[in-house]
């Protein structure tokens, strides 16, 4: 691992294998957002629209 300084910014250079391992670890920790079913989405949308309309 090496450090580079370009225009007062520090950059770290790592071997490609290490970088790929770091990416894999990060991907395993990432959890996608929950998606709604069609009926849940409609209910959520109407609730949000009602909240928005009551604010005005």
């Amino acid at each position: 691992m090496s450090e580079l300084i370009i225009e007062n910014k520090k950059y770290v250079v790592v071997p490609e294998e290490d970088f790929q391992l770091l990416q894999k670890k990060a991907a395993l920790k990432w959890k996608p957002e929950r998606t709604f079913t069609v009926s849940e989405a409609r209910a959520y949308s109407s609730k949000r629209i009602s909240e928005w309309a009551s604010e005005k």
Side-chain angles (χ1 to χ4, degrees):
M1 183 166 66
S2 306
E3 282 189 9
L4 296 173
I5 300 175
I6 301 172
E7 295 180 10
N8 294 329
K9 292 184 181 178
K10 286 188 180 182
Y11 297 92
V12 179
V13 180
V14 295
E16 187 174 358
E17 293 173 357
D18 294 344
F19 179 72
Q20 288 175 352
L21 283 173
L22 288 171
Q23 274 189 321
K24 190 173 183 178
K25 277 186 179 180
L28 291 173
K29 290 182 181 180
W30 182 76
K31 294 181 182 176
E33 292 183 16
R34 184 179 168 274
T35 54
F36 293 121
T37 63
V38 173
S39 58
E40 289 174 332
R42 286 185 180 141
Y44 181 75
S45 297
S46 63
K47 178 183 168 191
R48 296 290 292 164
I49 291 169
S50 298
E51 288 175 6
W52 174 78
S54 67
E55 290 176 1
K56 289 198 165 208

